[in-house]
Amino acid sequence: MSTIIQTRQLTKKYREQEVLKPLDFSVEKGEICALIGKNGAGKSTLFKVLAGQIMPTSGEVLLFGKSGKEIEREKKRMGFMIETPAFFPDFTAVQNLEYFRIQRGVVDKKRMYEVLEIVGLAKEKKKRFKDYSMGMKQRLGIALCLLSNPDCLVLDEPINGLDVEGIIEIRTLLRKLNQEKHITILISSHILTELKLVATRFVFIKDGVIFDDLSKDALEEKSRKQIVLTVDNSVKVAQLLDRAYGDIEFKVLPNHVISIQNHIESSGEINRLLVDNGVMVKEFRIEALNLEEYFLGLVEESNND
């Protein structure tokens, strides 16, 4: 695989605040890479540095293996949507795209109609922008990104503020761009459950530091099923589990609830162990962690380190 985006020891400081700490990060061709973090984690700052909207304090950015002066030429192969584009409210989709086509020096007029078709707005091309739904506005923003026929899209929070229908539209569109048009996508959001449905890689960022980087398979493995128990004596259960399984991973939660992260395949044995030792098991279930719970767990772990 070839590397589309790469940062080397990238930092960004605003006065005394270090928003990005020395960051080594890359996106490979063909990925839908999700950058996940709470507001203020450094997502938008990283995207603005990649787009050249702000300068890094130190370190470097490479696009398609090029840096320095050569990077400007490579930026033409990128489509950035960092903030909602400033479309003219009284213009139609075509009029808006025509304005940006001329401004950006895109020669082929047919490209406007092609991108409207790709994002599913061909039938809405004569409707004024101010009459668009939020989801349609976001799709027009992605159409604008596609005008120059990019190899890679960088989208900052494209599903923020959308209703369920709008989110599904954007999700479907991103999959289509990736699978049919072979466009690499770097996307940020804090709507974690939604990203799980579209991304192939998950990068977690907090306070300007990447603290986990997982493939879809690795994420599924880490956020796989857990055993959740409600018992009458959680201290006794903790002792029994430690004695029976040397490598067991579990958490004692309030109200005598215990969650066990491994040995899921031994759930029947664990239940028998507790009952045979006089523990009253009020509830015993196996459930899947969702991405949000996994992420919050990571954040808490990093806070405790």
Side-chain angles (χ1 to χ4, degrees):
M1 281 201 297
S2 59
T3 303
I4 306 283
I5 296 169
Q6 187 175 9
T7 71
R8 290 178 180 161
Q9 292 292 290
L10 192 73
T11 70
K12 181 62 186 175
K13 265 188 181 178
Y14 292 106
R15 294 184 183 164
E16 294 307 306
Q17 189 186 6
E18 199 171 24
V19 183
L20 291 179
K21 294 171 180 143
L23 203 65
D24 291 310
F25 170 69
S26 63
V27 177
E28 303 299 320
K29 185 176 181 178
E31 289 186 319
I32 301 181
C33 178
L35 187 67
I36 303 163
K38 294 184 176 180
N39 292 335
K43 304 186 302 292
S44 294
T45 301
L46 174 58
F47 281 23
K48 285 175 181 175
V49 170
L50 294 177
Q53 292 180 6
I54 57 176
M55 295 301 292
T57 304
S58 63
E60 67 174 338
V61 173
L62 292 88
L63 299 177
F64 303 95
K66 300 288 194 292
S67 64
K69 290 178 181 175
E70 292 180 292
I71 208 169
E72 286 311 311
R73 189 173 69 245
E74 301 305 323
K75 271 197 190 135
K76 291 174 182 170
R77 298 172 64 187
M78 306 283 295
F80 293 96
M81 192 167 84
I82 311 296
E83 285 148 352
T84 306
F87 289 115
F88 298 101
D90 287 313
F91 279 19
T92 64
V94 172
Q95 287 170 329
N96 269 298
L97 290 182
E98 174 72 355
Y99 169 80
F100 285 107
R101 180 188 73 79
I102 294 165
Q103 190 188 52
R104 295 180 181 188
V106 177
V107 177
D108 186 5
K109 255 189 132 166
K110 291 201 305 291
R111 184 65 185 159
M112 292 189 304
Y113 300 98
E114 288 170 5
V115 296
L116 287 172
E117 188 70 48
I118 290 167
V119 302
L121 289 176
K123 291 178 182 172
E124 310 286 352
K125 63 189 176 194
K126 291 185 178 175
K127 187 183 276 192
R128 289 185 299 180
F129 180 75
K130 67 181 180 185
D131 297 325
Y132 271 18
S133 68
M134 189 68 181
M136 289 164 71
K137 288 175 179 177
Q138 290 295 79
R139 281 189 282 149
L140 188 60
I142 294 172
L144 177 58
C145 287
L146 295 171
L147 257 187
S148 58
N149 225 341
D151 296 306
C152 178
L153 291 180
V154 177
L155 308 172
D156 191 19
E157 301 270 7
I159 53 179
N160 197 18
L162 298 187
D163 59 15
V164 173
E165 189 180 348
I167 288 172
I168 292 169
E169 287 172 1
I170 297 294
R171 182 208 308 161
T172 305
L173 173 59
L174 295 182
R175 280 195 190 132
K176 178 179 163 186
L177 292 172
N178 180 253
Q179 291 164 14
E180 295 178 18
K181 306 293 180 183
H182 309 293
I183 294 174
T184 302
I185 298 170
L186 173 60
I187 176 175
S188 79
S189 182
H190 55 273
I191 305 177
L192 311 173
T193 45
E194 186 53 39
L195 288 180
K196 195 174 181 186
L197 297 173
V198 72
T200 58
R201 178 179 159 213
F202 303 84
V203 176
F204 295 89
I205 186 169
K206 180 178 183 286
D207 296 332
V209 176
I210 288 171
F211 61 91
D212 214 343
D213 185 342
L214 301 169
S215 68
K216 194 172 184 72
D217 287 345
L219 180 74
E220 292 292 348
E221 180 65 20
K222 282 208 175 192
S223 62
R224 70 189 189 282
K225 292 174 179 175
Q226 61 175 352
I227 299 170
V228 180
L229 303 166
T230 306
V231 295
D232 63 339
N233 187 336
S234 54
V235 175
K236 184 176 181 180
V237 170
Q239 291 169 345
L240 287 168
L241 292 174
D242 275 330
R243 214 174 297 142
Y245 303 92
D247 63 339
I248 196 155
E249 297 171 17
F250 65 89
K251 290 177 184 171
V252 179
L253 304 169
N255 303 317
H256 297 289
V257 176
I258 291 180
S259 67
I260 303 172
Q261 281 72 52
N262 59 353
H263 290 287
I264 312 298
E265 69 288 347
S266 306
S267 58
E269 293 170 21
I270 290 170
N271 193 29
R272 195 178 315 118
L273 170 75
L274 302 183
V275 172
D276 288 351
N277 283 277
V279 174
M280 184 191 290
V281 180
K282 299 174 183 176
E283 186 181 19
F284 190 108
R285 70 181 190 276
I286 296 173
E287 63 178 32
L289 278 169
N290 67 31
L291 179 55
E292 192 144 11
E293 287 166 343
Y294 173 71
F295 169 62
L296 291 172
L298 279 177
V299 171
E300 283 158 14
E301 282 172 29
S302 70
N303 284 340
N304 295 332
D305 287 346

